[in-house]
C-alpha cells in the first residue's frame, strides 16, 4: 500500500502527480482484478475518475471506466446508449449532488406540499435505480446529497417544511431506506464527507460555475477514497485484522519502565481518556469481524499486565495472537499472517513510533501502515482510511474473532497429537453441504471475493450472480459449513459448476482432443467447474474431500459421469496447483495460463472423507 494514498494524504500532490503515481502503480507487479465501472455524472466527472483510478489500483483493482456525457446520468441510466450497452458494467457509480435536485420546496410551503415535492424528487432517482437493476443487474453506488451551502431560513432551514436543509435530510433518509431494503445498492455518504471536509470549502460555488464540479478540486481525492472503499469492500479487498503496538499506542507510557500503576488509561486524566476512547473504538471493531492482534517490543509478562489494567477496555482475550518479544516487528507481523493463514495485505499495523512504522513498510510488503499522528488522531485516521468498510455484515463476520481463537485452540490440540488422523478424529467435525440457499447468499458472494490462496479459478461473483447460478438448472452449486467441538466455522467452502453435453457430434472437447478418441465412448453430460474455493482457516481438515464426495453424488444423481476442473495460476493461489490431482483427477494439459483436469466418475466411487460427519 502506498503511503501517499493513505489518509492523511496531500490532495494537491495527488492531483498534480496522478500520472506519475499511476505509472508506478502499474509497474509494481501487483496482480489486480479487472472491473468495468460506469460513472454516470450529474456534474463534471473526469477528475473524479482520474483520481478514483489511483485509489482502486492501490487496493488491488484495475478499473476500466465508462464516463457519461456531462449531466447525462439519468438519460444514460434510463435509455442507455450503444457504448454503455456494449460496456457491460460490473458496477455503476452515480455521481450526483444537491446541484441535481430539481424539485426544491419553497419557503412557506406546508408539510403536504413539501411531502409531494419529496416524493416526486425521490421517484426521479428510484425509477433510474430500478431501470439499472432491470437492465444491468449490477451493484449500484449512489451519492446521497450534501447539505446546501446556504440556509435561507437560518437555523429553521432544517426544521421548516419549506427549508432546503430539511428537504435534503429527508431525501437522504429516503435514499437510506431504499438502500436498507435493496441488495447490491450502496450509498456513498457525501453528506458526511462534505461535513468532515468542511462544507464551505467542499461546496465552493466557484468550482460549480467555473468548471461544473459538484465539489472543490482539492476535495476530489477525499471523495475518490470513499468511493474506492465501497468498491474494494464489494469485491472483498477489505482488511481483516488490526495489529497493534502497546506502549504509547493502547496506553500512555511504557509498561516495562513506568509500571502498570503509572500508565495513562482511564478517566483520571485527559490523556488517559483519549487512550480509553481509542481502546473502546478498537474493541468495537470486533463487532464487525475485525481480528485483533498485538505486535509489541515487550516482555510478555509486562504486556499482559498492561492489558489487564483495571481501567483498560481491552483484555488479553480480545486478541487472537499476542506477539510481545524483542524480535523485529516486521518479522512478528509476518508470523501473525502465517499463523492465521491470511495474507500480509489483510493486515493494518498501528504503532506510534515512526521508525517502527517505516521498518514494517520496508520489510512486510503489503501491510498497511498509516501515519496515525498524535493519540487524539488515532481513531480519525483509521476510520477515514476505510480499511474495514462495511457493505455487508454476516453472522460469520461478527463471529470471526471467536472462529480464529478457536483455531488457536485447535492448533494447541494438534501439537499434543503424534498421529494427524487421530487429531482430526478428536475434533468431532460435522458438516452441512447443500446447494446454495437464500440464507447464505451474501456470505457466499463475500467468500468468492475474499478467498485468494485456496481459489482455483479466482473468479469473483456479485450476490446477484450467485443467485443466478443457484436458479440456473444447468448449474450445480454447493456450499459447505463446518463445525467441531471448538466452535462453528460457518460457511467455509463454495463450488459452482455448469453442465455441458458431450459426445461424438460435439467436435472439439474441453480437454483439447478431437471427439471420437478412445472409440467415442463419452459421457453424455459433463460438469465444468467454474469455481471452487475454501477459507484457509479450515485447511487440512478434509473439508475438500467431503465436498468432493457430495459433488460426485450430485453428479451421479443427474446422470453426469465426467467432471472437468480448471486451475488458473495467480501470484497467490499456488498452494492449490495440484489440488485436482489429490482428488483423483487426470491432468489433460498445462500451460502458463491454465491447467485442465478430468475426472471420470467410476461406478463404485470410494469416498475420500473419513473424519467429517456430513449431514444427510
Amino acid at each position: 500500500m502506498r503511503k501517499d494514498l493513505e489518509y492523511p494524504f496531500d490532495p494537491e500532490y495527488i492531483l498534480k502527480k496522478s500520472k506519475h503515481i499511476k505509472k508506478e502503480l502499474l509497474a509494481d507487479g501487483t496482480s489486480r482484478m479487472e472491473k468495468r465501472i460506469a460513472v454516470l455524472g450529474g456534474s463534471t466527472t473526469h477528475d473524479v475518475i482520474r483520481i478514483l483510478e489511483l485509489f482502486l489500483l492501490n487496493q488491488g483493482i484495475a478499473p476500466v471506466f465508462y464516463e457519461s456525457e456531462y449531466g447525462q446520468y439519468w438519460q444514460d441510466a434510463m435509455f442507455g446508449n450503444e457504448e454503455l450497452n456494449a460496456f457491460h458494467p460490473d458496477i455503476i457509480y452515480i455521481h450526483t449532488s444537491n446541484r441535481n435536485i430539481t424539485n426544491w420546496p419553497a419557503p412557506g410551503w406546508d408539510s403536504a406540499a413539501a411531502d409531494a415535492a419529496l416524493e416526486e424528487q425521490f421517484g426521479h432517482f428510484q425509477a433510474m435505480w430500478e431501470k439499472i437493476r432491470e437492465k444491468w443487474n449490477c451493484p449500484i453506488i449512489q451519492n446521497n446529497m450534501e447539505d446546501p451551502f446556504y440556509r435561507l431560513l437560518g437555523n429553521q432551514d432544517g426544521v421548516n417544511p419549506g427549508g432546503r436543509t430539511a428537504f435534503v435530510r429527508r431525501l437522504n433518509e429516503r435514499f437510506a431506506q431504499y438502500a436498507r431494503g435493496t441488495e447490491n445498492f450502496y450509498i456513498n455518504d457525501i453528506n458526511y464527507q462534505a461535513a468532515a471536509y468542511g462544507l464551505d470549502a467542499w461546496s465552493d460555488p466557484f468550482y460549480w460555475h467555473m468548471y461544473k464540479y459538484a465539489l472543490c478540486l482539492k476535495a476530489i481525492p477525499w471523495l475518490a477514497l470513499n468511493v474506492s472503499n465501497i468498491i474494494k469492500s464489494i469485491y472483498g479487498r477489505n482488511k481483516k485484522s488490526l495489529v497493534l503496538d502497546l506502549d504509547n499506542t493502547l496506553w500512555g507510557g511504557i509498561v516495562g519502565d513506568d509500571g502498570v500503576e503509572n500508565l495513562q488509561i482511564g478517566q483520571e486524566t485527559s490523556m488517559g481518556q483519549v487512550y480509553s476512547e481509542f481502546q473502546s473504538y478498537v474493541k468495537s471493531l470486533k463487532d464487525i469481524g475485525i481480528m485483533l492482534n498485538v505486535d509489541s517490543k515487550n516482555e510478555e509478562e509486562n504486556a499482559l499486565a498492561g492489558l489487564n489494567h483495571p481501567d483498560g477496555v481491552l483484555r488479553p482475550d480480545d486478541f487472537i495472537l499476542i506477539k510481545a518479544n524483542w524480535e523485529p516487528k516486521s518479522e512478528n507481523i509476518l508470523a501473525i499472517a502465517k499463523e492465521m493463514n491470511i495474507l500480509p495485505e489483510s493486515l493494518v499495523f498501528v504503532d506510534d513510533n515512526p521508525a517502527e512504522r517505516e521498518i514494517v513498510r520496508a520489510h512486510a510488503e503489503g501491510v498497511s501502515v498509516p501515519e496515525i499522528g498524535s493519540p487524539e488522531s488515532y481513531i480519525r485516521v483509521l476510520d477515514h482510511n476505510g480499511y474495514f468498510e462495511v457493505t455487508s455484515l454476516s453472522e460469520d463476520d461478527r463471529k470471526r474473532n471467536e472462529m480464529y481463537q478457536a483455531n488457536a485452540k485447535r492448533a494447541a490440540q494438534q501439537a499434543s497429537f503424534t498421529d494427524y488422523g487421530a487429531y482430526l478424529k478428536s475434533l468431532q467435525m460435522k458438516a452441512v453441504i447443500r446447494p446454495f440457499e437464500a440464507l447464505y447468499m451474501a456470505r457466499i458472494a463475500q467468500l468468492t471475493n475474499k478467498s485468494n490462496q485456496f481459489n482455483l479459478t479466482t473468479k469473483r461473483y456479485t450476490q446477484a450472480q450467485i443467485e443466478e447460478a443457484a436458479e440456473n438448472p444447468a448449474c450445480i452449486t454447493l456450499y459447505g459449513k463446518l463445525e467441531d467441538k471448538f466452535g462453528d466455522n460457518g460457511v467455509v467452502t463454495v463450488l459452482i459448476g455448469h453442465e455441458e453435453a458431450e459426445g461424438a457430434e460435439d467436435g472439439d472437447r474441453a480437454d483439447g482432443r478431437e471427439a471420437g478418441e478412445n472409440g467415442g465412448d463419452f459421457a453424455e453430460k459433463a460438469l465444468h467447474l467454474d469455481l471452487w474455493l475454501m477459507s484457509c482457516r479450515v485447511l487440512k481438515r478434509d473439508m475438500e474431500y467431503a465436498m468432493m464426495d457430495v459433488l460426485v453424488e450430485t453428479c451421479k444423481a443427474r446422470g453426469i459421469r465426467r467432471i472437468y476442473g480448471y486451475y488458473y495460476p495467480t501470484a497467490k493461489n499456488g498452494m492449490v496447483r495440484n489440488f485436482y490431482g489429490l482428488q483423483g483427477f487426470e491432468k489433460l494439459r498445462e500451460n502458463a495460463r491454465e491447467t485442465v483436469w478430468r475426472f471420470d466418475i467410476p461406478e463404485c466411487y470410494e469416498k475420500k472423507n473419513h473424519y467429517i460427519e456430513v449431514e444427510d
Side-chain angles (χ1 to χ4, degrees), residues 172-189:
N172 283 346
E173 178 52 30
R174 292 302 306 276
F175 278 28
Q177 288 175 354
Y178 184 88
R180 286 192 290 269
T182 307
E183 295 285 355
N184 293 316
F185 183 89
Y186 309 97
I187 294 295
N188 178 46
D189 190 0

Side-chain angles (χ1 to χ4, degrees), residues 35-190:
K35 292 297 173 184
R36 299 181 301 279
I37 303 169
V39 179
L40 310 184
S43 58
T44 302
T45 55
H46 178 71
D47 286 314
V48 171
I49 290 171
R50 174 169 66 95
I51 304 305
L52 177 58
E53 181 177 27
L54 303 181
F55 285 103
L56 289 172
L57 288 170
N58 193 47
Q59 293 163 337
I61 298 171
V64 179
F65 288 104
Y66 165 88
E67 181 179 14
S68 70
E69 296 292 333
Y70 166 75
Q72 295 296 300
Y73 74 96
W74 199 83
Q75 289 85 345
D76 273 8
M78 293 298 290
F79 309 115
N81 60 57
E82 187 174 339
E83 183 183 356
L84 177 56
N85 294 341
F87 184 68
H88 299 299
D90 294 312
I91 197 162
I92 291 178
Y93 168 46
I94 304 168
H95 178 62
T96 49
S97 71
N98 68 31
R99 293 286 186 178
N100 301 114
I101 293 176
T102 57
N103 205 30
W104 288 108
W109 280 19
D110 61 16
S111 294
D115 288 350
L118 180 70
E119 289 307 311
E120 184 175 339
Q121 189 66 71
F122 176 72
H124 167 84
F125 285 95
Q126 184 181 25
M128 173 182 65
W129 302 331
E130 294 299 329
K131 177 61 76 171
I132 290 172
R133 285 162 53 79
E134 173 191 328
K135 190 165 187 176
W136 288 290
N137 193 27
C138 66
I140 301 168
I141 300 173
Q142 169 69 61
N143 287 354
N144 62 8
M145 304 296 175
E146 77 280 28
D147 280 346
F149 73 93
Y150 66 88
R151 300 179 301 171
L152 191 64
L153 302 177
N155 288 294
Q156 293 304 302
D157 207 62
V159 179
N160 191 287
R164 290 192 169 203
T165 304
F167 187 80
V168 162
R169 292 174 183 175
R170 293 177 65 203
L171 183 60
N172 283 346
E173 178 52 30
R174 292 302 306 276
F175 278 28
Q177 288 175 354
Y178 184 88
R180 286 192 290 269
T182 307
E183 295 285 355
N184 293 316
F185 183 89
Y186 309 97
I187 294 295
N188 178 46
D189 190 0
I190 68 169

Side-chain angles (χ1 to χ4, degrees), residues 432-554:
V432 173
I433 301 175
R434 293 177 181 164
F436 292 175
E437 296 177 305
L439 179 63
Y440 300 113
M441 292 298 188
R443 169 60 179 163
I444 291 167
Q446 186 185 63
L447 261 181
T448 70
N449 285 291
K450 282 187 174 181
S451 297
N452 292 297
Q453 297 179 83
F454 199 121
N455 190 334
L456 287 138
T457 59
T458 63
K459 290 185 177 181
R460 313 295 178 178
Y461 291 76
T462 64
Q463 186 169 335
Q465 291 169 326
I466 290 294
E467 291 166 354
E468 286 176 8
E471 294 171 1
N472 187 342
C475 285
I476 289 178
T477 66
L478 294 174
Y479 76 88
K481 290 183 66 184
L482 182 67
E483 64 176 280
D484 58 35
K485 68 180 183 180
F486 292 110
D488 187 351
N489 291 279
V491 177
V492 293
T493 183
V494 174
L495 178 154
I496 299 174
H498 70 275
E499 288 184 24
E500 284 186 14
E502 186 174 69
E505 72 279 9
D506 292 337
D508 289 343
R509 293 173 45 202
D511 61 4
R513 293 183 293 175
E514 292 294 320
E517 286 186 42
N518 297 330
D521 184 21
F522 304 151
E524 291 183 359
K525 290 191 292 185
L527 185 76
H528 296 262
L529 293 173
D530 303 301
L531 177 77
W532 194 337
L533 63 84
M534 191 168 74
S535 169
C536 289
R537 68 172 179 259
V538 294
L539 282 176
K540 299 180 180 179
R541 301 268 300 280
D542 265 23
M543 191 61 181
E544 61 271 37
Y545 295 124
M547 285 286 283
M548 181 66 181
D549 292 348
V550 175
L551 174 64
V552 168
E553 289 177 10
T554 305

